[in-house]
Amino acid sequence: MTMKPIDSVDIPAKGKVVFAPGGKHIMLWGINPDAVAQGKMPLTFLFSNGDRIIVDAVVQKPGAAAAVGEGPASEHEDH
């Protein structure tokens, strides 16, 4: 498995894209410690047509997914 940054994610009409450990995911650095303690933070997604949606994103420390058996997190250990 390799990781590479992407600038956008195509979403099929009436479809959905899932962000999850081991698949597409968002990595953020310097997150407010309160958001880490709460385990979530709001993210705003901006679509090419100008629509925006705000979702509560789950905040996990690097390696958390491996701890619960959701997949390897070794590529994130230094983040």
Side-chain angles (χ1 to χ4, degrees), residues 6-78:
I6 56 176
D7 293 327
S8 64
V9 176
D10 292 330
I11 302 173
K14 299 189 187 254
K16 68 179 183 177
V17 172
V18 175
F19 289 85
K24 285 182 175 52
H25 60 279
I26 298 171
M27 293 174 50
L28 304 172
W29 288 263
I31 296 174
N32 182 315
D34 291 337
V36 175
Q38 293 174 5
K40 65 179 182 176
M41 67 182 292
L43 291 181
T44 302
F45 289 86
L46 175 62
F47 294 87
S48 60
N49 67 356
D51 287 352
R52 294 174 189 247
I53 60 169
I54 300 172
V55 297
D56 278 334
V58 175
V59 176
Q60 292 180 326
K61 291 183 179 183
V68 294
E70 292 182 12
S74 60
E75 292 191 52
H76 301 302
E77 289 175 354
D78 296 326

